[in-house]
Amino acid sequence: MNYCMKERVLLLLSMMMAISVTLTSCTDNDDDAGGGGGDKDKKYVERLVPVVDPKNNAQGTVMLRFYDDMPNVAYVSVSHFHEMMYPGTTVQVQSLGNGRYALTSPCGTAQVDTEKNLFMSNDYEAFTNMMGMVQPGMPNTTYDALPIIRWKSLEAKPKQVDVTLDYGKYGIDIREDAGDVYFPFATISDLYVDGYMHMADYNGLTVMVAPNGAYSLDSGYPEFLITPLLQDTRTADMTDYSYKNLCFTLTNFFGYPGRTLLEKSMKEKGLDQALQDYGKAGTMTRELLKSTDMYDYFSGTATLSCLLFDGGHTYTDLLTINTIDTLSSFYQKLNPIRKAKLEEFDGYCPEYKPIKDARAENSKLRKQLRELREEKIGKDVHYTKVGNTAYCYFNEFMCDDSGWRKYYKGEGPKPTIEQYPNDWLVILVDAIERAQNDPEVKNFILDTSTNGGGSSDIVMFITSMFCDKPDIYYENVLTGQKMKCSYDVDRNLDGKFDEKDKEVKLKMNIGVIISSCSFSCGNLLPALLKDYGICLLGKQSGGGSCCVLYNPSADGFGYRYSTHRARLNNLKGENIDNGIKPDYELDFEDFFDIAKIGKLIENFYAK
């Protein structure tokens, strides 16, 4: 039995013995190892709380602490939190005196000052790194763990940067007790959430963790977690802490893509001051977020979402990410209140109208492009050929990974179009193979004109197949570091990573169709391909430069935002949120004229 399995068995046994039981009510010991942190006189109770995954399957227990001055705000020791997130590992905590502690995790180090409420590290991403659960030895970088690729290397410039996170500035109290350090649960969870979406959320009854990361939250935060939170009011201590934590997290961890209404002021002054300075729209949003009325609070997250709208990555609107029954009494009461508040916000924020109009126009264009595609090529026709030009309709950087995982484990055959007709990776692989094996095909069109994004793993597969370039470039906005992350790609899809993958060479001219509906990975792909000399056709892509994190709110809801961890760049290190210009502009009627596009592609490579 490996160490992870042992840990889970022990946690399950612990949960069977005691779940959600109040264990102690006490005062910190006078022999507190921290010496002078000021927490030893704070009374608290501790509760052993069940830990589950997004399908409500038991994952063990964790000990949470509730102080008398904040009875509804859970605290957790850094060591217990790390053990829960990365079973079989822990954080070593060493007192340095005067409320300072040295923290050592399996991958990195940090220091905490509980008097000044500071977190300091010269590599905080290493300190919180959990990617070893995904691929042994992997650093804290972007990877969705699709088995067709694997992480190879990471270059960071500069290699390390000192980071100080000032929680005290936001009124967030880090506490100490007898040789351990205690963070508010949501605060430390925000620090740990990574690009694979390892995360933890506490709803007052249960802790939910996502051991399978991104694939655990595809349908949003689950109903079993959210339903207990749907009350009319919020407690005063939770309301106060929730707002402070939101301000800290978005100010420090937002990706600042460059297009949102609030971000310039937020980056300079912090979220709270930015809202106060943003006229009636900002002060209204601030008041709603600080309200103890749950319906006002929800409305405030919706108006904040408008101020931070970045094309589709950031949604602080709690109604967007959380699974709430639309027939429930809570929703029926919330809906008209939220609608009225959004209408009031629109009156205060006329500069949001062009953003709304652009969103509507983009939705309209996506519908029109799909209709035109059906008219010219046929409904759900993913591959076709006209003359010497092959065409593949590719609408999502997503796949049904279950078939691929079985194949790479030797438990099933390689997925085929017959088995998985709706799997976009299978559709792409099938199209490439058919075109490559057809002696008549000279040009290959990949149509991403309505592709709204998905997994960067598939972007790496495509750039490797098209250009032999399996690299992603990004920057950490918090540290200013520029990153190059490289991957191995199983280009021949034989289930192995070996020298034979280098022998795969496409013999076709490649062209990629893009539009303003090509967002996120639909924007990253053309950004890389343009620098690699691949022909782009259509209209300027829709941007979306930041990777996304799913974060817990302090009270247990979930939201989504553009992360500082990875703002995607082109090869020159430039932010790509403005979109990518094609080499050939296409009129709307020519978007799916395969013969015409094929000639343009040939002209491009004949230069």
Side-chain angles (χ1 to χ4, degrees):
M1 183 182 295
N2 62 36
Y3 69 87
C4 291
M5 185 61 71
K6 286 181 179 178
E7 180 72 9
R8 289 179 180 176
V9 169
L10 290 172
L11 288 173
L12 287 171
L13 289 172
S14 298
M15 188 177 71
M16 292 170 64
M17 291 186 288
I19 295 179
S20 288
V21 177
T22 299
L23 296 182
T24 61
S25 179
C26 57
T27 305
D28 288 20
N29 297 329
D30 289 336
D31 61 349
D32 174 27
D39 299 324
K40 61 185 178 181
D41 295 325
K42 291 184 172 69
K43 295 182 179 181
Y44 61 84
V45 296
E46 289 184 328
R47 298 190 183 102
L48 196 63
V49 174
V51 179
V52 300
D53 67 17
K55 294 184 178 179
N56 210 8
N57 298 314
Q59 299 291 309
T61 59
V62 66
M63 185 69 74
L64 301 183
R65 177 174 288 193
F66 300 85
Y67 289 91
D68 282 3
D69 60 333
M70 301 170 67
N72 297 287
V73 176
Y75 271 71
V76 63
S77 78
V78 64
S79 52
H80 286 167
F81 186 86
H82 192 95
E83 289 167 358
M84 177 187 71
M85 296 301 293
Y86 198 160
T89 70
T90 190
V91 169
Q92 301 297 323
V93 181
Q94 179 185 3
S95 173
L96 303 176
N98 298 319
R100 293 174 64 92
Y101 290 84
L103 310 179
T104 304
S105 79
C107 297
T109 60
Q111 285 193 20
V112 169
D113 188 325
T114 61
E115 289 189 351
K116 297 179 180 178
N117 296 303
L118 301 176
F119 172 93
M120 300 156 285
S121 177
N122 66 0
D123 193 347
Y124 80 101
E125 289 197 316
F127 174 76
T128 60
N129 184 22
M130 299 174 284
M131 295 302 290
M133 291 187 289
V134 182
Q135 181 179 320
M138 185 178 178
N140 201 344
T141 187
T142 179
Y143 181 40
D144 293 329
L146 294 181
I148 57 172
I149 79 169
R150 67 182 181 188
W151 171 79
K152 180 180 180 181
S153 64
L154 178 67
E155 299 176 16
K157 295 181 180 180
K159 189 173 182 180
Q160 290 184 323
V161 175
D162 290 329
V163 169
T164 297
L165 298 175
D166 189 348
Y167 290 101
K169 181 180 177 180
Y170 296 81
I172 298 172
D173 192 13
I174 304 172
R175 299 183 174 181
E176 62 175 333
D177 177 23
D180 212 340
V181 175
Y182 289 78
F183 281 78
F185 188 92
T187 297
I188 195 169
S189 185
D190 288 343
L191 184 65
Y192 269 71
V193 177
D194 62 21
Y196 189 68
M197 310 295 184
H198 291 118
M199 57 79 64
D201 198 355
Y202 175 60
N203 70 350
L205 299 172
T206 306
V207 170
M208 181 190 75
V209 296
N212 294 319
Y215 300 98
S216 302
L217 296 169
D218 283 345
S219 300
Y221 284 70
E223 191 171 3
F224 80 83
L225 185 79
I226 301 307
T227 298
L229 298 168
L230 301 179
Q231 308 295 323
D232 291 339
T233 59
R234 310 161 72 207
T235 62
D237 60 333
M238 176 56 74
T239 298
D240 179 63
Y241 164 65
S242 176
Y243 181 72
K244 291 174 179 176
N245 196 66
L246 181 68
C247 287
F248 174 88
T249 300
L250 289 179
T251 301
N252 290 280
F253 296 157
F254 190 57
Y256 295 97
R259 72 166 81 180
T260 78
L261 292 175
L262 199 65
E263 67 178 83
K264 185 176 184 295
S265 179
M266 185 170 82
K267 189 171 186 179
E268 294 174 355
K269 308 172 186 176
L271 175 59
D272 182 54
Q273 191 61 50
L275 289 173
Q276 293 182 66
D277 293 346
Y278 202 82
K280 289 185 177 180
T283 55
M284 169 193 179
T285 298
R286 182 176 184 269
E287 290 170 2
L288 292 172
L289 290 172
K290 291 170 68 70
S291 175
T292 56
D293 182 283
M294 187 68 80
Y295 307 101
D296 282 350
Y297 171 53
F298 260 75
S299 301
T301 66
T303 59
L304 179 63
S305 203
C306 298
L307 292 170
L308 292 178
F309 182 75
D310 56 4
H313 279 160
T314 298
Y315 289 102
T316 60
D317 185 349
L318 296 185
L319 197 59
T320 304
I321 306 299
N322 301 278
T323 306
I324 299 174
D325 185 357
T326 57
L327 298 178
S328 68
S329 58
F330 180 86
Y331 179 87
Q332 297 301 320
K333 186 173 180 179
L334 168 65
N335 202 35
I337 296 172
R338 178 178 173 275
K339 183 178 179 181
K341 295 296 184 184
L342 283 169
E343 290 176 354
E344 182 182 352
F345 172 87
D346 287 346
Y348 296 147
C349 194
E351 59 271 30
Y352 182 62
K353 186 177 186 303
I355 297 174
K356 286 180 67 175
D357 292 344
R359 293 175 67 179
E361 283 298 314
N362 224 39
S363 295
K364 181 180 177 182
L365 176 61
R366 182 178 290 104
K367 182 174 183 292
Q368 290 173 335
L369 285 171
R370 288 175 175 171
E371 290 173 349
L372 182 64
R373 182 190 289 121
E374 288 185 12
E375 176 188 328
K376 290 197 171 186
I377 296 176
K379 185 175 183 180
D380 296 327
V381 175
H382 295 125
Y383 179 85
T384 191
K385 184 181 76 167
V386 175
N388 66 354
T389 302
Y391 164 93
C392 175
Y393 165 39
F394 184 67
N395 205 46
E396 292 181 10
F397 290 86
M398 298 295 287
C399 69
D400 178 353
D401 66 307
S402 60
W404 290 102
R405 293 188 188 283
K406 289 179 182 178
Y407 170 57
Y408 276 81
K409 290 178 180 178
E411 299 173 355
K414 175 183 171 182
T416 65
I417 198 72
E418 291 76 21
Q419 295 172 303
Y420 299 91
N422 299 314
D423 183 314
W424 288 104
L425 178 57
V426 173
I427 288 167
L428 172 65
V429 169
D430 177 74
I432 290 174
E433 290 178 348
R434 291 172 67 177
Q436 181 80 339
N437 294 328
D438 188 336
E440 294 181 351
V441 172
K442 306 299 180 186
N443 311 307
F444 182 81
I445 299 170
L446 185 67
D447 174 12
T448 65
S449 59
T450 56
N451 193 315
S455 172
S456 60
D457 287 7
I458 297 180
V459 175
M460 293 298 94
F461 175 76
I462 295 173
T463 58
S464 180
M465 293 294 289
F466 286 2
C467 320
D468 193 19
K469 300 286 187 180
D471 309 310
I472 192 169
Y473 300 83
Y474 63 92
E475 61 187 306
N476 183 309
V477 180
L478 179 63
T479 66
Q481 291 169 289
K482 300 281 188 176
M483 308 287 193
K484 176 186 176 182
C485 194
S486 301
Y487 302 84
D488 291 318
V489 177
D490 182 18
R491 285 159 59 173
N492 62 7
L493 295 172
D494 65 353
K496 303 174 184 177
F497 297 93
D498 53 29
E499 292 297 314
K500 292 182 180 179
D501 293 316
K502 297 179 180 179
E503 299 173 5
V504 177
K505 306 288 184 183
L506 299 188
K507 304 172 184 177
M508 306 169 287
N509 298 320
I510 305 295
V512 178
I513 305 176
I514 59 176
S515 79
S516 62
C517 302
S518 306
F519 183 74
S520 192
C521 283
N523 182 67
L524 173 62
L525 178 67
L528 296 173
L529 292 182
K530 183 157 189 172
D531 288 341
Y532 294 145
I534 298 296
C535 181
L536 305 179
L537 312 99
K539 299 292 184 183
Q540 186 164 323
S541 59
S545 62
C546 293
C547 291
V548 174
L549 291 190
Y550 284 79
N551 261 48
S553 70
D555 30 18
F557 295 105
Y559 65 99
R560 193 176 86 182
Y561 73 105
S562 288
T563 172
H564 69 292
R565 289 183 181 272
R567 187 171 71 186
L568 301 168
N569 293 332
N570 58 20
L571 272 67
K572 300 174 185 176
E574 300 167 334
N575 180 8
I576 60 174
D577 196 67
N578 288 330
I580 311 303
K581 292 182 179 179
D583 299 291
Y584 295 105
E585 290 265 352
L586 295 178
D587 293 332
F588 177 77
E589 291 298 325
D590 293 332
F591 254 76
F592 309 109
D593 188 330
I594 296 175
K596 183 172 183 177
I597 293 175
K599 290 178 181 178
L600 291 174
I601 294 172
E602 288 182 354
N603 290 339
F604 178 86
Y605 291 102
K607 294 178 182 178

